[in-house]
């Protein structure tokens, strides 16, 4: 399972990358706004800055919702760097655009996926990744992990090449469960990734090892 970080914060991207476990980055317009990145030129430069840090796919999202606009934006984003994956919303023109990008050899991430039917359509259109949102489903009392399991099951049966990129991760259990279910990729904020490090028995065990070494060696 690949690990992507879900942020536009360069310091956090560097921190995750230095762990040696990072396979890519996802961003969205809300995450870019959170970092204060505004204006087309600054936004495009920020994507290039991210690509310079990480050797892996970087999802850059279009803000157009009509076919021509999505194509124009997507082609511009894809031309920035070979690792850019164009993130396209799960709407009718988005699906049309994903088919078009596929024919042009431009890789895509279909975002805002909340049902198996949407996932099937995006896979048929030739999306490289589809992003089902776990946390936002959990928030409205639907089981986000069940959706991931259903989609990975369908893709395996159908032999779709599209990768299931589990998004809207809120805690380390989401990550562990995605690994168990067979998600191809998770994208998570830094905190749940770092939380995977923690276990109280690791901390107490290490303290004991160090104390015993000190006792024996002075
Ligand atoms: C997916 O790529 C989105 O950027 C993201 O995972 C959404 O997460 P949120 O529901 O925590 O905003």
């Amino acid at each position: 399972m690949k690990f992507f970080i879900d942020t536009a914060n360069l310091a956090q991207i560097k921190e995750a990358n230095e762990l040696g476990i990072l396979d890519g980055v996802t961003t969205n317009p809300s995450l870019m706004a959170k970092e204060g990145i505004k204006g087309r030129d600054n936004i495009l430069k920020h994507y290039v800055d991210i690509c310079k840090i990480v050797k892996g796919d970087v999802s850059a999202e279009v803000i157009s919702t009509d076919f021509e606009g999505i194509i124009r934006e997507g082609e511009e984003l894809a031309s920035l760097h070979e690792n850019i994956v164009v993130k396209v919303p799960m709407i009718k023109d988005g699906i049309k655009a994903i088919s078009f990008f596929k024919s042009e050899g431009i890789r895509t991430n279909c975002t805002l996926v909340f049902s198996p039917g949407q996932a099937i359509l995006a896979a048929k259109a030739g999306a490289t990744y589809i992003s089902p949102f776990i946390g936002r489903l959990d928030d409205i009392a639907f089981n986000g992990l069940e959706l991931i399991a259903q989609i990975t099951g369908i893709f395996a049966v159908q032999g779709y090449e599209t990768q299931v990129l589990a998004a809207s991760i809120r805690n380390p259990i989401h990550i562990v469960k995605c690994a168990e279910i067979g998600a191809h990729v998770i994208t998570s904020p830094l905190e749940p990734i770092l939380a995977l490090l923690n276990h109280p028995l690791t901390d107490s065990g290490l303290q004991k090892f160090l104390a015993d070494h000190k006792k024996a060696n002075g």
Side-chain angles (χ1 to χ4, degrees), residues 6 26-28 31 87 111 131 133 136 167-168 170 187:
D6 195 29
T26 54
T27 61
N28 64 41
L31 293 171
K87 205 169 175 190
T111 189
S131 292
F133 282 32
R136 291 192 196 186
S168 190
R170 300 279 162 80
T187 189

Side-chain angles (χ1 to χ4, degrees), residues 42-213:
N42 290 330
I43 289 171
L44 297 181
K45 180 185 173 302
H46 200 74
Y47 288 135
V48 174
D49 289 344
I50 293 173
C51 289
K52 283 181 188 158
I53 300 173
V54 185
K55 282 200 188 80
D57 289 348
V58 174
S59 286
E61 187 160 343
V62 299
I63 46 161
S64 299
T65 53
D66 63 294
F67 179 73
E68 287 77 18
I70 295 172
I71 299 304
R72 195 172 48 248
E73 264 193 77
E75 286 178 341
E76 184 179 31
L77 290 169
S79 72
L80 291 175
H81 194 280
E82 60 182 0
N83 289 348
I84 292 282
V85 174
V86 180
K87 205 169 175 190
V88 180
M90 164 40 77
I91 53 177
K92 197 172 178 186
D93 278 24
I95 291 297
K96 272 171 67 179
I98 287 168
S99 305
F100 178 81
F101 285 137
K102 170 81 178 166
S103 70
E104 275 202 328
I106 291 176
R107 295 176 311 131
T108 53
N109 173 359
C110 184
T111 189
L112 293 165
V113 169
F114 291 95
S115 77
Q118 291 178 326
I120 291 168
L121 263 189
K124 288 289 291 176
T128 313
Y129 300 100
I130 53 128
S131 292
F133 282 32
I134 299 173
R136 291 192 196 186
L137 278 172
D138 290 354
D139 289 345
I140 59 160
F142 282 80
N143 190 327
L145 286 166
E146 269 177 20
L147 176 65
I148 303 294
Q150 198 177 1
I151 296 171
T152 52
I154 292 168
F155 282 20
V157 168
Q158 295 298 326
Y160 292 150
E161 284 174 12
T162 301
Q163 296 181 52
V164 179
L165 195 173
S168 190
I169 297 265
R170 300 279 162 80
N171 58 59
I173 302 299
H174 278 160
I175 300 177
V176 172
K177 283 288 173 193
C178 282
E180 217 175 285
I181 289 165
H184 304 99
V185 191
I186 56 96
T187 189
S188 166
L190 183 60
E191 213 180 25
I193 296 173
L194 294 181
L196 292 171
L197 288 165
N198 301 335
H199 198 288
L201 291 179
T202 304
D203 298 339
S204 58
L206 181 59
Q207 272 172 23
K208 175 94 170 67
F209 286 155
L210 295 179
D212 288 346
H213 174 83

